[in-house]
Amino acid sequence: MADRPYLWLLPVALLLGAFYVVPVADVVRLSFSDATLLRPADSFGLQSWSVTLGADGLGGILWNTAEFTLLSVLGLQLAGLGVALLLARGDRRGLRGMTVLRTVVLAAWVIPGIANGLIWQMLFSEAPFGAVNSTLALMGLPRVAWLSDPGNAMLSAVIANIWQGTAFSMIVFYAARSAIGPRLYEAAEVDGAGAGAQFLYITLPQMKGAILVNSVIVTIQTLNTFDSILALTGGGPGRATEVLSLHIFNLVFTNFDLAGGSVLALVLVAISTVLTLIYIAVLAARR
Amino acid sequence: MSPRAADIATYVAAILLAALFLAPLTWLVSLALRMPQEVYLGAARFVPESPTLDNFVQILTDRAFGSYLWNAVKLCALGAFGAVVVATPAAYAFSRMRFRGRLPLMLAILLVQMISPLVVLIPLYRYMDRIGLLDTHLSVIGVYMALGVPLAVWLLKAAFDTIPPSLEEAAAIDGCSRPEILLRITLPLAAPGLASAFILNMIMGWSQFLVPFILLTGDGKLPISVAIFNFAGSTSASTTQLLAAACLVAVVPALACFVALQRMIVRAITAGAVKG
C-alpha cells in the first residue's frame, strides 16, 4: 500500500497557505507600496519604509514595547515559577487542596483578553468604585493614579497581563519541575544542602532549558497581543501604553496607512523570527 | 525549618496567591450584584447590602446580548470544528507515515503560530472585502480555523501516537484502505484527543477579539468579546454594575467549560509544552 503523505497534508497546506503564506508575502509587497486601506497601490519604492521608520513617535512606541514586554516576561516567569514550585512542593508532601490554587491561576488564563482589560479597568479605576483605590482609602492610604499617570498606566497594563498569563508559565515550569528526579535532592540532603542551596544548585540548573524556552514563547505572546491594553488604557494616557502591535493596529485601521502598517508588521515579524531562531537553537542544543 | 512548619508556610503562600488571583473576579461579582447607588461606595460595600440580580436580568433579557452570545458560540464552535477536521489527516500522516521533510514541516506548522494574527489580518481584510466576505461569519470562521490548525495538528498527532499501530495493521490485512482505517479505527480511539483539541480551540476562539473586531461591522453579527468592548465604550460610570454583569456573562461560559474539563486540558497543554 503506497502512502501519499503529501496528499494528507494538503488541507493544512491550503489553509495555512491562504491565511498565512499569501498574506505575509502580500504584507512584504504592501510595505514597499503607497497603498492605503481605501486605495490600492499605485507605485512602489522605499518611501514608506523611510517615512515610517523615521516617524517621530516610533522611538517612544518601541520603548513602550520594550518596557511592557520585559516587565511582563520577568513578572510572568517569576510568578509562574513561584506557583509551580509551590504546587510541586504540595504534591510531594501530599498536601490537600493545593489544586485549588492551580484552578484559580488557570481560570484567569481562559478569560478573554478584552474582558481582562475591562476587569482591570474596574479594579484600577480612579472613580469611587475602583477596587484598589477604594481599598487603599479604607486603610487610610493615599489614592494612586493607576491609569491617568503615564508611568503607573504602564505598570497597570503589566499587572493585568501577568495576572492573565501566569498560567502558561506555571504549566511549563510545573512539568519541568516534575521531570527532575528525586534522587538529586536526596543526594543533596545527605550532603547537608539546605532548601536555598537545593534551589540554586539543582532546581534552577535543571530547569534552565524550560526557563529559556518559556521566555521566548512568552515574549512572542506578549509582543503579539494588545487586546487587554486596548480595553484597559486604549494606549493612553497620551501614548504612554501604546505598544508596537497596538500602534500597527491604529496605523492601519484608524489612519488607513496600509503601507506604513505593513512596514511595522514586518518589524514585528522580524523580532518574533529572531526570538524563534533562538528557541530552535535552544531546542536543538537540548537534544 | 521543620517539614511541618514548611507545610504551613506552603499553605499560607498558596492561600495568599489564590486570593490574589481570585480578587479581580470576586470584585467583578461584587459590582455586578450591586444597586447603582451602591457602586459608588467602592470597597466599603464589598458585600452588597441587598444583592440584586437585576443587572444580570437586564443583560440576559436584552435581545442583542442573546445574539452576541449565540454568535460567539457559533463562530468558535465552527472554527474549532473546522480546525480539527483540517488538522486530522495531516496529524495522522505525521504520526503514521515516514517521509522526507516530516520534521521540518511539523516545526514549520508550529512556528506559524509565532506570526501575530494582526499581521495577516492587514491583507486578509482587503481580500475579504474584494470577494464580498467582509462582515460575514464565514470569513471569521476561516481565520479561526487557520489560527487553530497548528495547535490541533500537534495535539492530534500526540493523540494518534498513543494508539498502537498493531490495531491498524489488522485492519489493513483485512483490506481496509488508510482513510477507512483512520475513520473506523483510529478516530474513535482518539476521541479524547479530538475532544481536547476541539475544546482548547473553542476556548481560544471565545477569547478572540481582533479577528471579529476587524472583519465584522454589523451589530447583529458581533460575538460577545467585541460586544462588551463596544458596550464599555458606550457606558458611563453610572452603569458600571451593568458592565460588570456583561463581563461576567462573557467570561462564565469559558470558565465553566474550563473548570469542568480542567484535567483533560492541562494534560493536553503539558503534552504540548514538554515536547516543545
Side-chain angles (χ1 to χ4, degrees):
Chain A
M1 187 167 59
D3 281 329
R4 295 160 80 184
Y6 299 109
L7 210 58
W8 291 70
L9 300 182
L10 197 62
V12 167
L14 287 177
L15 189 69
L16 293 182
F19 286 94
Y20 275 101
V21 181
V22 172
V24 169
D26 209 15
V27 168
V28 176
R29 185 185 70 94
L30 288 167
S31 76
F32 291 104
S33 76
D34 61 347
T36 72
L37 200 60
L38 313 169
R39 191 171 48 81
D42 281 334
S43 65
F44 291 87
L46 285 170
Q47 210 203 351
S48 62
W49 279 85
S50 61
V51 170
T52 310
L53 294 184
D56 270 345
L58 189 62
I61 301 286
L62 291 176
W63 172 249
N64 290 344
T65 312
E67 203 183 350
F68 178 69
T69 309
L70 284 177
L71 289 175
S72 291
V73 171
L74 197 67
L76 286 166
Q77 303 254 41
L78 287 176
L81 190 62
V83 177
L85 293 181
L86 206 60
L87 288 174
R89 180 165 199 288
D91 271 3
R92 283 197 308 279
R93 297 280 304 164
L95 302 182
R96 288 160 160 274
M98 292 293 283
T99 43
V100 175
L101 175 62
R102 190 187 73 177
T103 307
V104 168
V105 173
L106 280 165
W109 188 54
V110 292
I111 286 175
I114 203 81
N116 178 43
L118 295 176
I119 292 170
W120 282 92
Q121 197 185 36
M122 288 181 238
L123 289 161
F124 284 133
S125 169
E126 290 157 36
F129 51 79
V132 182
N133 270 354
S134 59
T135 308
L136 289 177
L138 271 186
M139 298 193 297
L141 296 167
R143 292 165 177 268
V144 177
W146 292 108
L147 298 174
S148 60
D149 174 83
N152 289 346
M154 177 57 84
L155 192 66
S156 304
V158 169
I159 292 173
N161 192 33
I162 293 173
W163 178 69
Q164 199 192 12
T166 295
F168 184 84
S169 310
M170 173 190 85
I171 296 176
V172 172
F173 289 148
Y174 181 78
R177 175 61 185 81
S178 307
I180 306 176
R183 290 269 168 83
L184 286 172
Y185 292 97
E186 284 159 18
E189 211 129 289
V190 172
D191 291 344
Q198 289 183 20
F199 175 74
L200 270 184
Y201 297 112
I202 301 176
T203 312
L204 269 190
Q206 291 286 323
M207 291 177 71
K208 202 175 66 189
I211 294 171
L212 267 169
V213 166
N214 189 54
S215 23
V216 172
I217 296 177
V218 167
T219 307
I220 293 173
Q221 281 171 357
T222 306
L223 275 173
N224 286 348
T225 51
F226 64 90
D227 38 7
S228 66
I229 298 187
L230 185 68
L232 180 66
T233 65
R239 304 178 82 173
T241 51
E242 188 169 336
V243 293
L244 185 57
S245 48
L246 178 56
H247 181 61
I248 296 171
F249 172 80
N250 286 336
L251 215 52
V252 174
F253 294 100
T254 313
N255 298 354
F256 304 138
D257 183 1
L258 197 58
S262 298
V263 169
L264 292 182
L266 288 177
V267 171
L268 189 65
V269 172
I271 298 172
S272 298
T273 306
V274 170
L275 290 167
T276 306
L277 291 176
I278 297 173
Y279 173 74
I280 296 175
V282 171
L283 280 186
R286 281 169 79 194
R287 287 266 155 80
Chain B
M1 199 158 37
S2 74
R4 191 103 192 101
D7 284 353
I8 293 169
T10 305
Y11 269 124
V12 171
I15 290 167
L16 281 177
L17 275 168
L20 211 63
F21 271 90
L22 214 50
L25 286 176
T26 51
W27 181 254
L28 200 61
V29 173
S30 163
L31 282 180
L33 294 176
R34 295 185 197 194
M35 312 278 254
Q37 58 274 24
E38 268 188 317
V39 166
Y40 286 93
L41 296 174
R45 200 53 73 76
F46 180 68
V47 180
E49 218 166 50
S50 52
T52 173
L53 289 176
D54 283 359
N55 302 319
F56 289 104
V57 172
Q58 197 175 332
I59 293 292
L60 289 172
T61 53
D62 187 332
R63 196 174 296 161
F65 256 92
S67 89
Y68 300 145
L69 283 172
W70 167 244
N71 290 339
V73 172
K74 178 184 162 193
L75 291 175
C76 73
L78 290 177
F81 182 75
V84 170
V85 169
V86 170
T88 298
Y92 185 75
F94 282 135
S95 173
R96 289 293 188 265
M97 303 170 195
R98 294 292 170 268
F99 51 91
R100 243 174 46 150
R102 180 173 159 273
L103 280 175
L105 281 173
M106 280 178 63
L107 199 61
I109 288 177
L110 187 70
L111 295 184
V112 157
Q113 290 185 104
M114 307 290 182
I115 298 171
S116 166
L118 174 66
V119 175
V120 293
L121 275 168
I122 295 171
L124 281 174
Y125 177 85
R126 288 157 52 97
Y127 304 160
M128 295 299 176
D129 191 20
R130 212 170 303 156
I131 57 177
L133 284 180
L134 210 57
D135 201 23
T136 66
H137 280 168
L138 195 62
S139 63
V140 177
I141 292 167
V143 180
Y144 280 12
M145 281 169 62
L147 293 180
V149 111
L151 180 71
V153 168
W154 276 76
L155 288 178
L156 291 178
K157 184 206 169 267
F160 292 150
D161 283 347
T162 62
I163 298 166
S166 54
L167 294 172
E168 298 182 356
E169 280 153 18
I173 292 167
D174 289 345
C176 288
S177 67
R178 278 278 201 199
E180 279 174 326
I181 293 172
L182 172 63
L183 279 177
R184 297 217 184 121
I185 296 171
T186 318
L187 278 189
L189 288 171
L194 288 168
S196 55
F198 176 73
I199 288 161
L200 265 181
N201 262 301
M202 265 196 77
I203 293 179
M204 275 168 37
W206 187 267
S207 301
Q208 252 303 331
F209 166 76
L210 194 62
V211 177
F213 189 62
I214 289 176
L215 295 180
L216 301 175
T217 47
D219 188 62
K221 292 180 180 137
L222 300 179
I224 187 84
S225 53
V226 179
I228 55 169
F229 178 70
N230 291 343
F231 185 60
S234 70
T235 54
S236 61
S238 62
T239 49
T240 299
Q241 71 285 358
L242 281 178
L243 180 60
C247 276
L248 272 175
V249 169
V251 162
V252 162
L255 276 183
C257 177
F258 162 73
V259 171
L261 304 164
Q262 189 190 160
R263 199 163 291 175
M264 188 174 92
I265 293 171
V266 171
R267 209 184 309 127
I269 307 168
T270 314
V274 172
K275 289 188 183 130

